[in-house]
Amino acid sequence: LEPSIVDISCTCNPAKISTDFLLVHDRVGSAIDVTFEVYDMLGRIVWRKTETNVVCDGVYSMKWDLTSNAGSAVGTGVYLYRARISGNGSSEALKAKKLIVVRQ
């Protein structure tokens, strides 16, 4: 069975220092693989983090400190963030939204 993403959001939008991505899904009590990705408006991957075999209560959170995978701070702008989940050999479910980053 394909997992379902009910909603994704982030705690700070616009974000200035960090944000927590929140993923609401239908796999309560099951082991899932979760990936969050952040893209710039040119479609380039800025940041990606994956956690495998995560068991949670239906709401999963992942912190992002607004730095790229290379370790540099991302600039002011609009970014797309995408959540991806799968589990037990199932197909993936995806959902994406926009995030604004504001640097001082």
Side-chain angles (χ1 to χ4, degrees):
L1 294 172
E2 181 176 308
S4 177
I5 296 175
V6 177
D7 193 24
I8 61 172
S9 61
C10 53
T11 56
C12 299
N13 195 2
K16 296 179 181 177
I17 298 170
S18 67
T19 191
D20 290 305
F21 295 118
L22 303 173
L23 165 68
V24 181
H25 61 85
D26 68 346
R27 293 292 192 244
V28 176
S30 298
I32 58 172
D33 300 329
V34 179
T35 300
F36 273 98
E37 300 166 318
V38 177
Y39 296 87
D40 66 15
M41 293 310 289
L42 296 176
R44 297 177 297 206
I45 186 81
V46 174
W47 179 81
R48 175 184 292 139
K49 185 172 180 185
T50 300
E51 294 187 358
T52 58
N53 295 320
V54 176
V55 178
C56 62
D57 62 0
V59 179
Y60 178 81
S61 68
M62 186 180 289
K63 187 169 194 69
W64 182 41
D65 63 0
L66 308 183
T67 59
S68 70
N69 280 347
S72 60
V74 299
T76 295
V78 178
Y79 295 85
L80 295 175
Y81 65 97
R82 179 171 70 176
R84 178 189 326 215
I85 64 169
S86 64
N88 297 328
S90 69
S91 58
E92 293 181 328
L94 303 167
K95 193 165 210 140
K97 289 190 176 179
K98 291 180 184 177
L99 167 67
I100 298 169
V101 172
V102 178
R103 292 292 187 177
Q104 306 277 19

